[in-house]
Amino acid sequence: MSTAALSPTGPAAQHAVRRNHPFAWVQQSLTLAWRNIVRIRQNPEALADVTFQPIIFLVLFLFVFGGAVSGGGGWRDYLPYLLPGVLVQSVVFSTLGTGVALNDDFAKGVFDRFRSLPIARVSPLIGAVLGDAIRYLTSIVILMVTGFALGFRFENGVGYGLLALLLVLAFALSLCWVWVWLGLKLKTAQGVQGVAFLVMFPLTFGSPIFVQASTLPGFLQTWSKINPISYLVDAMRGLMIGGDLQKPLLVTLAWMAGLIAVFAPLAIRAYRRRT
Amino acid sequence: MSTTNRPAIVAEGLVKKYGSTTALDGVDLTVPTGTVLGVLGPNGAGKTTAVRILGTLLTPDGGHAEVGGYDVVREAGRVREIIGLTGQYASVDEDMSGRRNLVMIGRLIGLSRQQARSRADELLERFELTGAGDRVAKTYSGGMRRRLDLAASLVGNPSILYLDEPTTGLDPHARNGVWDTVRNLVLDGTTVLLTTQYLEEADALADSIMVFDQGKVVASGRPAELKAQAGKQSLDVRPAEPGHLERVAAIVAESVGTRPTVDVVNALVSVPVSDGTSMPVVVRRLDEAGIAVTELSLRLPSLDEVFLALTGHVAEQESTAVLEGAGR
């Protein structure tokens, strides 16, 4: 190992770069998002939960339950109803991976490295969330390609259809702050997963994702009226295949704002305090 | 080794509590610029807690500390610009290549893409990792991994470096590599705070040593001073017959003039000695007494023995077990 003098990029030069850059956190967040993409390229099997899993869910519900649910119309009649639902279910489920990955970063000491660097405190969290947007997007693209192949069409026009995809992506980016917070609060990745499933199942199955809410038993109907996922699914259907749109869309947007307003600050606080 | 007027690290009365346990109980320390402080102590002594506070990862519950003249709590951002951290924590990303890890850190601290790349190349070469630079870090050996950790903490050219047990678990060859690196950094003017469980390591690298025990500083001084207090070396005698332990202990006590410790479990008699002159006397007496031994050796005192000599009690039970395993 040589003792050669270190490069011309001495501390003074670097400090100048850092201090004169009020938006340094943007570049830092993008760098950390890039890290997530590199990791995905390194371990493509980590994408299984946003590739095969959604397809399996779509195909399973379509062909196994399609006949029964659509009341004799067969799976072709069920597809337009089911696809928006499975989109929501898959994307919402993939958000919990964000919390698990963050928890893992903490356990392995990667985040302590970041915290010892002169970078903005929010960068590692925003970077993690942005990086995971790639996973959510993968899930959306895979499902839409499969859906189109099976004969799905945006019955309400392509513009509204794309808006629906944007909506579910934005919802995922709001909801994932809950998992970011839990990922920082809970000690182990298993703990995060345990809590997540406890919350996710009532959220997704107690909603009109797979069946009309009117077919649910009384208590589930009541729950489904409170459940934000119900409004998201309704808004998605409104945009993708037509139907009631205004109320579900507004309620969904309100939930998104609420989730960010509550959980993003909580997550940042937990990040600062975590020792 | 240049020593300027202002110390690089000053801490006064640092206290950190976790619930009812006190990890740090009023620690004072000063590290002059350009020198190496070795913090010695068993697991749970508070070494890592101290480094985490000085590295701005933890806020102390009491006391204050300045690093490079900046307060570690109020001016944490400034402190982070001048420090580097390597340890059991503050790790690299195992799922990325060594090179990408270094480039990422360079980008994070504000280097351009080009600068970050050349900085990464330079560090890979310096730490003899050029060939492994594009491999995923989890495939690295223990020694390579430690070198990459060290390289990662040097991307920003820190003037103050914290090394938390940098060689724990490394083989002697890899350990020597880390030692050489630390020596070279110090030659370049870097101030180093190093924690270790090995007296040998502190002795090899540090200008001064502090011994931590249960969150307190129990001894401090130059390595030579501490070793003089602890006995420079240790004479070990292991009788072939465990039944001879008592008689061996008596012979050793008589020959050296100090009462030895008798480890019944390992059938070992040890005594701190200042040099090897008493060894022939011990050999002759044992021979006269007709006692066969399976081991007779001179070695540096273990941390346990330093502890015993400096504090009058053995290191905490739990940690002693670990240390005995590691030390012998």
Side-chain angles (χ1 to χ4, degrees):
Chain A
M1 278 168 232
S2 78
T3 54
L6 297 172
S7 69
T9 55
Q14 289 166 22
H15 292 181
V17 175
R18 286 174 214 153
R19 291 210 184 105
N20 295 336
H21 214 301
F23 291 108
W25 65 271
V26 175
Q27 201 255 305
Q28 291 156 7
S29 303
L30 288 174
T31 301
L32 291 164
W34 166 81
R35 162 178 177 247
N36 281 32
I37 296 165
V38 168
R39 283 161 62 93
I40 289 172
R41 277 212 309 241
Q42 213 80 249
N43 291 314
E45 70 272 15
L47 278 180
D49 68 327
V50 291
T51 50
F52 300 114
Q53 224 161 284
I55 295 178
I56 288 169
F57 261 102
L58 181 65
V59 169
L60 179 81
F61 277 90
L62 194 59
F63 295 111
V64 177
F65 303 114
V69 173
S70 65
W75 63 270
R76 282 178 205 283
D77 283 359
Y78 186 42
L79 179 64
Y81 182 84
L82 179 67
L83 188 62
V86 173
L87 270 173
V88 168
Q89 191 239 13
S90 300
V91 174
V92 161
F93 260 84
S94 57
T95 58
L96 73 88
T98 311
V100 174
L102 272 177
N103 189 280
D104 193 49
D105 273 347
F106 252 108
K108 288 190 176 147
V110 178
F111 263 48
D112 272 345
R113 162 77 64 205
F114 297 153
R115 294 203 309 164
S116 75
L117 295 174
I119 60 173
R121 295 303 233 189
V122 291
S123 304
L125 296 185
I126 294 182
V129 169
L130 280 183
D132 264 10
I134 300 288
R135 294 177 56 248
Y136 310 152
L137 210 57
T138 310
S139 173
I140 292 171
V141 169
I142 293 265
L143 275 173
M144 287 317 297
V145 168
T146 316
F148 286 135
L150 290 169
F152 179 86
R153 295 292 171 261
F154 286 131
E155 288 163 28
N156 208 12
V158 175
Y160 278 118
L162 291 178
L163 220 58
L165 304 185
L166 209 62
L167 179 69
V168 71
L169 181 64
F171 186 86
L173 289 175
S174 320
L175 179 66
C176 72
W177 287 99
V178 177
W179 308 123
V180 170
W181 176 62
L182 278 175
L184 297 174
K185 272 285 179 194
L186 297 177
K187 285 213 168 64
T188 64
Q190 283 87 346
V192 178
Q193 229 144 14
V195 173
F197 278 105
L198 217 63
V199 178
M200 285 302 197
F201 274 101
L203 273 180
T204 52
F205 288 93
S207 79
I209 283 187
F210 302 109
V211 292
Q212 309 271 5
S214 57
T215 66
L216 297 171
F219 71 97
L220 263 185
Q221 277 197 36
T222 314
W223 162 243
S224 130
K225 280 186 191 121
I226 309 166
N227 188 351
I229 300 293
S230 306
Y231 294 96
L232 174 62
V233 175
D234 286 344
M236 295 282 291
R237 291 202 176 115
L239 288 165
M240 290 171 81
I241 56 173
D244 187 20
L245 181 59
Q246 198 179 7
K247 189 192 170 196
L249 187 60
L250 288 178
V251 175
T252 304
L253 292 175
W255 266 101
M256 284 162 54
L259 285 170
I260 292 186
V262 172
F263 288 100
L266 277 178
I268 288 165
R269 213 174 69 132
Y271 173 71
R272 289 210 174 119
R273 295 244 174 115
R274 173 120 183 191
T275 51
Chain B
M1 244 160 277
S2 67
T3 310
T4 59
N5 299 331
R6 199 180 63 180
I9 306 171
V10 185
E12 277 169 19
L14 288 183
V15 175
K16 184 71 194 178
K17 293 188 171 118
Y18 294 104
S20 59
T21 17
T22 303
L24 278 188
D25 193 4
V27 164
D28 300 329
L29 60 83
T30 304
V31 188
T33 301
T35 67
V36 181
L37 172 70
V39 173
L40 190 64
N43 288 331
K47 305 186 301 285
T48 296
T49 305
V51 171
R52 288 179 69 93
I53 289 174
L54 296 173
T56 76
L57 296 179
L58 266 186
T59 314
D61 295 326
H64 62 92
E66 279 185 10
V67 173
Y70 300 118
D71 187 282
V72 293
V73 178
R74 289 196 318 273
E75 299 167 295
R78 290 295 177 90
V79 172
R80 287 181 205 121
E81 289 178 2
I82 55 171
I83 61 166
L85 199 57
T86 298
Q88 311 147 356
Y89 51 87
S91 159
V92 297
D93 185 342
E94 289 186 329
D95 292 323
M96 290 206 299
S97 70
R99 175 172 279 111
R100 283 205 165 117
N101 264 295
L102 299 179
V103 170
M104 175 180 72
I105 293 171
R107 292 290 284 155
L108 283 175
I109 62 173
L111 299 184
S112 71
R113 210 173 296 254
Q114 190 52 49
Q115 283 173 318
R117 278 200 201 119
S118 61
R119 184 81 180 122
D121 287 341
E122 186 184 309
L123 285 165
L124 286 172
E125 193 185 328
R126 179 168 176 202
F127 286 94
E128 295 169 358
L129 290 169
T130 305
D134 293 319
R135 265 165 49 198
V136 178
K138 67 177 151 206
T139 64
Y140 285 19
S141 70
M144 288 161 73
R145 178 59 200 278
R146 222 58 75 91
R147 295 209 298 276
L148 180 60
D149 278 335
L150 206 50
S153 65
L154 294 179
V155 174
N157 258 331
S159 56
I160 296 166
L161 187 63
Y162 302 125
L163 303 173
D164 194 28
E165 303 199 4
T167 63
T168 301
L170 290 189
D171 63 52
H173 176 73
R175 189 195 58 188
N176 284 332
V178 172
W179 286 7
D180 283 344
T181 311
V182 174
R183 289 194 184 104
N184 287 334
L185 287 167
V186 174
L187 284 178
D188 291 343
T190 309
T191 305
V192 176
L193 191 156
L194 161 104
T195 78
T196 179
Q197 298 194 8
Y198 311 120
L199 179 64
E200 192 191 355
E201 181 158 282
D203 186 29
L205 297 174
D207 298 301
S208 63
I209 297 179
M210 286 186 135
V211 182
F212 275 36
D213 180 35
Q214 294 170 18
K216 288 197 173 80
V217 178
V218 292
S220 62
R222 307 192 74 78
E225 293 163 8
L226 288 186
K227 280 202 297 182
Q229 282 180 50
K232 276 193 186 107
Q233 287 165 311
S234 181
L235 175 64
D236 288 354
V237 187
R238 194 192 305 273
E241 286 285 326
H244 288 152
L245 269 178
E246 299 267 314
R247 285 174 64 198
V248 170
I251 289 169
V252 169
E254 216 172 288
S255 322
V256 180
T258 318
R259 248 174 54 80
T261 55
V262 180
D263 180 345
V264 183
V265 179
N266 296 310
L268 192 70
V269 174
S270 328
V271 67
V273 291
S274 51
D275 52 46
T277 51
S278 50
M279 203 157 170
V281 184
V282 173
V283 173
R284 199 165 56 240
R285 295 262 175 97
L286 287 171
D287 186 39
E288 282 165 10
I291 296 173
V293 295
T294 55
E295 185 187 331
L296 183 69
S297 60
L298 269 176
R299 60 173 173 82
L300 279 169
S302 71
L303 185 59
D304 289 3
E305 287 153 333
V306 176
F307 250 77
L308 192 59
L310 295 178
T311 67
H313 70 89
V314 291
E316 225 177 290
Q317 287 310 312
E318 171 194 55
S319 23
T320 357
V322 174
L323 287 169
E324 276 177 355
R328 289 185 187 142

